[in-house]
Amino acid sequence: VWMACISGSQMTLLGKLLGFSNRHFGYLSAIAWTAYLGQLISAVIIERTGLRKYQFIFYATIQRLMWLVIAAVPLVLHPGPTAVAVFLSIYAVGALLAHMAMPPWQNWMADMIPRRIRGRYFATRRVWTIPIQIVVTVVAGLILLYQHPVRLVENHLGARGELFQSLIRNVGEEERPFKHRENAHLFP
């Protein structure tokens, strides 16, 4: 569920809302790959300290909390270069921390799960999580398809929806009334 919520088209929409150019979307993609270097740093820290559980909990907790800060960027800053720079900086730190949490997790689980069932355990875990991710993605897509984003925010946030409405209008696109597409139930 977590990965379905923080990746995909909603990141593109958030980028457009903040005023991303094509170059900024390129930076966003590059950050995700550059952050893999955090795994090397984390592996060295594991070798020197031997701490895995605490290292994983520390990095993963801070990384997840970074998404609350990212969610606050459109609320605090107006779309433009400052919002883009702040978002990319926070995203870079969060991506680095996410990758730094991977080696301690793998190492810790390798010791906790007995070798004879380890493969079966991780395979069963993936078999159950993939359908859940598919359902979450389809439900989120249907919500976005049948509910205009401004109305969706207004329904859930009440008066605060006006703030989001003004932010969405500042994206630079011309405002058009929402039209329900015919045959929307069919995938293109």
Side-chain angles (χ1 to χ4, degrees):
V1 173
W2 174 256
M3 290 306 295
C5 291
I6 65 166
S7 60
S9 62
Q10 53 271 30
M11 287 297 288
T12 305
L13 293 173
L14 180 61
K16 287 180 178 181
L17 173 72
L18 293 175
F20 272 37
S21 67
N22 288 339
R23 180 181 301 264
H24 297 123
F25 282 112
Y27 291 153
L28 189 65
S29 297
I31 287 170
W33 290 102
T34 307
Y36 272 98
L37 295 173
Q39 292 186 14
L40 297 174
I41 297 166
S42 182
V44 169
I45 294 171
I46 291 172
E47 289 295 321
R48 298 200 181 209
T49 64
L51 299 174
R52 299 168 305 183
K53 180 169 74 170
Y54 299 111
Q55 187 178 343
F56 165 74
I57 291 170
F58 177 77
Y59 295 142
T61 302
I62 293 175
Q63 185 267 335
R64 297 288 169 101
L65 291 173
M66 295 295 280
W67 281 97
L68 295 175
V69 178
I70 287 173
V73 170
L75 297 173
V76 176
L77 299 172
H78 293 288
T82 305
V84 170
V86 168
F87 173 84
L88 288 175
S89 300
I90 295 168
Y91 182 79
V93 171
L96 181 68
L97 289 170
H99 285 287
M100 288 180 77
M102 287 180 190
W105 170 259
Q106 299 285 339
N107 199 313
W108 183 25
M109 291 299 110
D111 286 346
M112 284 186 60
I113 301 168
R115 182 180 296 268
R116 62 184 171 74
I117 65 164
R118 193 177 303 151
R120 189 171 55 238
Y121 168 77
F122 282 113
T124 303
R125 183 174 170 245
R126 286 302 289 164
V127 163
W128 285 100
T129 58
I130 289 173
I132 292 169
Q133 286 179 333
I134 292 170
V135 169
V136 168
T137 303
V138 169
V139 168
L142 290 172
I143 288 170
L144 292 173
L145 178 66
Y146 290 107
Q147 185 80 20
H148 190 273
V150 173
R151 262 186 287 155
L152 182 67
V153 170
E154 286 175 345
N155 289 344
H156 293 288
L157 296 177
R160 291 186 190 166
E162 293 175 12
L163 171 66
F164 282 97
Q165 194 173 23
S166 67
L167 289 174
I168 290 170
R169 286 187 181 146
N170 290 334
V171 173
E173 298 179 26
E174 62 180 313
E175 185 176 310
R176 297 176 297 198
F178 178 73
K179 293 182 192 174
H180 180 72
R181 293 185 343 197
E182 288 186 33
N183 300 325
H185 63 284
L186 301 175
F187 292 103

